[in-house]
Amino acid sequence: MQTRVTDSIVEAAEFINSGEIVAFPTETVYGLGADLFNQEAVGKIFIAKGRPSDNPLIAHISDLAQLEQLVEKVPSNAKKLIEKFFPGALTLVLPKSSRVPAIVTAGLDTVAVRMPKHKLAQAFIKECRTPLVAPSANLSGRPSPTTWQAVLKDMNGLIACLLKGERTEFGLESTVVDCSRERACLLRAGGIGLEDLRSVLPDIVVGSNEDGEPVRSPGMKYKHYSPKAEVIIVDSWTKISPSDSKKRAFIGFEKIPENFLLSCICKDVDEYARELFLFFRDCDDAAIDEIYCQKVEQKGIGLALMDRLRRAAH
Ligand code: TXA
Ligand code: MG
């Protein structure tokens, strides 16, 4: 298959409406979209990514009217989050309507919904005139793509079309909150910080339900992306004592005196988050042995950044 690279939302929407899959930018990472109501098209996503079929997909909408097609009801805690954070980097897990095909939700009775804020993403979904399911547009086991070039590297020849956009603003995936139970529960840290969620829902729980049982997003049981190199989380460069025969890389805030083959010095946590996945890809390409990643404070997007660093370090 030839992958068509375009900056026309009209052309990209035509691919969606003829049952093909299309990669597109959002403010978090690039997604791989299909018409939510076209089961055959949704199936193509799992094949192209090599994604296990028991890992459900996020529905992407361009306006709140589309929510009614997807969910049974909107619980009051979800209403509060929608008011404050839609459109944005927040995904809500809600009781699903019978119209949502089982392939989308991997047979669960809930559906995850997000309304991106990204202008091109919104215009594209609107042009498609249907909600789009979209996981991150990487091959399973690779980091989420934050540039159209990274999408093409993984997906060239496997998808019909790539809608070209800018580099993504956040660089990490959306925050996922389960609102299908009595108490809202944070399933995945992401672009919207926990403090921000707490300002709306003070009693939100983190990663466990009311009985204290761990509830996990199906996606969490899969090994998250980790680079070929060993990832080492450090406080600062003074703690580093690398062996000399190894190819080393560093990402963090300080100019460092060591001899690193690759380094990425960021001015703040936002830039660190934006750079991380592309830096990991560069490290894989350069056959780096060890990646030193500077620790960040777990607030704002720092919580998501530390989560991805810890997973990568495994
Ligand atoms: O920022 C993002 O969220 C990006 C962009 C493209 O929107 N998408 C993304 O999708 O990261 P994906 O498929 O890579 O991650 C979706 C996560 C997975 O961990 C999945 O298990 C979880 O959301 N999820 C989806 N539906 C769910 C449901 N009904 N209940 C619990 N978790 C769900
Ligand atoms: Mg993903």
Side-chain angles (χ1 to χ4, degrees):
M1 182 194 301
Q2 185 91 358
T3 299
R4 169 82 180 142
V5 180
T6 182
D7 45 28
S8 158
I9 55 168
V10 174
E11 187 182 10
E14 278 166 8
F15 278 104
I16 292 288
N17 290 320
S18 57
E20 295 298 337
I21 58 179
V22 176
F24 65 99
T26 80
E27 69 271 31
T28 55
V29 299
Y30 274 73
L32 183 56
D35 177 354
L36 179 137
F37 295 113
N38 183 336
Q39 301 190 42
E40 203 180 310
V42 177
K44 290 180 184 175
I45 288 181
F46 289 92
I47 294 167
K49 278 184 63 94
R51 183 179 176 103
S53 60
D54 63 350
N55 194 1
L57 304 174
I58 298 174
H60 292 64
I61 59 175
S62 57
D63 64 79
L64 283 179
Q66 286 176 316
L67 195 57
E68 285 162 32
Q69 307 178 300
L70 303 178
V71 305
E72 182 86 345
K73 63 166 190 172
V74 182
S76 66
N77 53 12
K79 277 189 188 137
K80 290 182 192 161
L81 293 176
I82 287 171
E83 219 164 88
K84 182 96 188 250
F85 300 112
F86 270 31
L90 179 66
T91 297
L92 299 181
V93 172
L94 300 165
K96 94 178 201 32
S97 91
S98 56
R99 289 193 61 194
V100 178
I103 187 172
V104 169
T105 61
L108 298 175
D109 55 8
T110 55
V111 61
V113 185
R114 170 170 177 230
M115 187 195 289
K117 193 180 196 159
H118 195 275
K119 286 281 167 294
L120 194 63
Q122 278 194 3
F124 172 54
I125 299 165
K126 199 163 264 162
E127 185 68 29
C128 293
R129 281 169 282 106
T130 176
L132 300 180
V133 287
S136 48
N138 51 285
L139 287 175
S140 270
R142 296 268 293 153
S144 296
T146 53
T147 64
W148 67 265
Q149 291 93 338
V151 174
L152 207 56
K153 206 157 185 196
D154 279 12
M155 291 299 177
N156 197 10
L158 296 173
I159 61 176
C161 178
L162 161 60
L163 178 61
K164 239 162 88 171
E166 305 273 288
R167 184 171 182 160
T168 61
E169 179 192 340
F170 287 91
L172 301 177
E173 302 87 350
S174 64
T175 303
V176 181
V177 176
D178 184 357
C179 289
S180 68
R181 297 157 201 256
E182 194 58 20
R183 260 172 89 180
C185 174
L186 177 72
L187 298 182
R188 179 176 77 181
I192 302 290
L194 183 56
E195 308 80 0
D196 296 325
L197 298 174
R198 283 213 170 106
S199 74
V200 177
L201 298 179
D203 67 344
I204 187 169
V205 279
V206 179
S208 71
N209 66 15
E210 292 130 286
D211 312 319
E213 298 268 303
V215 286
R216 298 216 141 204
S217 189
M220 295 309 200
K221 72 171 181 276
Y222 296 104
K223 188 178 174 301
H224 192 268
Y225 167 73
S226 116
K228 291 177 195 136
E230 186 184 354
V231 170
I232 302 157
I233 302 171
V234 292
D235 281 322
S236 71
W237 67 267
T238 50
K239 299 265 171 69
I240 300 175
S241 53
S243 77
D244 272 303
S245 56
K246 291 188 170 163
K247 285 198 203 169
R248 304 184 300 265
F250 175 86
I251 183 165
F253 303 110
E254 294 151 43
K255 277 260 180 287
I256 23 134
E258 320 282 338
N259 181 24
F260 289 95
L261 200 66
L262 285 182
S263 65
C264 180
I265 309 300
C266 311
K267 69 173 190 304
D268 55 27
V269 181
D270 290 341
E271 187 178 343
Y272 193 161
R274 194 153 53 231
E275 295 285 344
L276 183 71
F277 285 153
L278 197 59
F279 188 67
F280 279 167
R281 284 175 176 263
D282 290 344
C283 288
D284 278 352
D285 291 345
I288 295 292
D289 297 306
E290 291 179 343
I291 310 173
Y292 290 85
C293 302
Q294 196 170 358
K295 218 184 239 176
V296 302
E297 222 186 308
Q298 301 201 62
K299 64 175 198 205
I301 202 164
L303 183 66
L305 183 53
M306 283 307 294
D307 169 73
R308 306 307 188 271
L309 288 179
R310 273 192 224 101
R311 289 166 185 280
H314 255 80

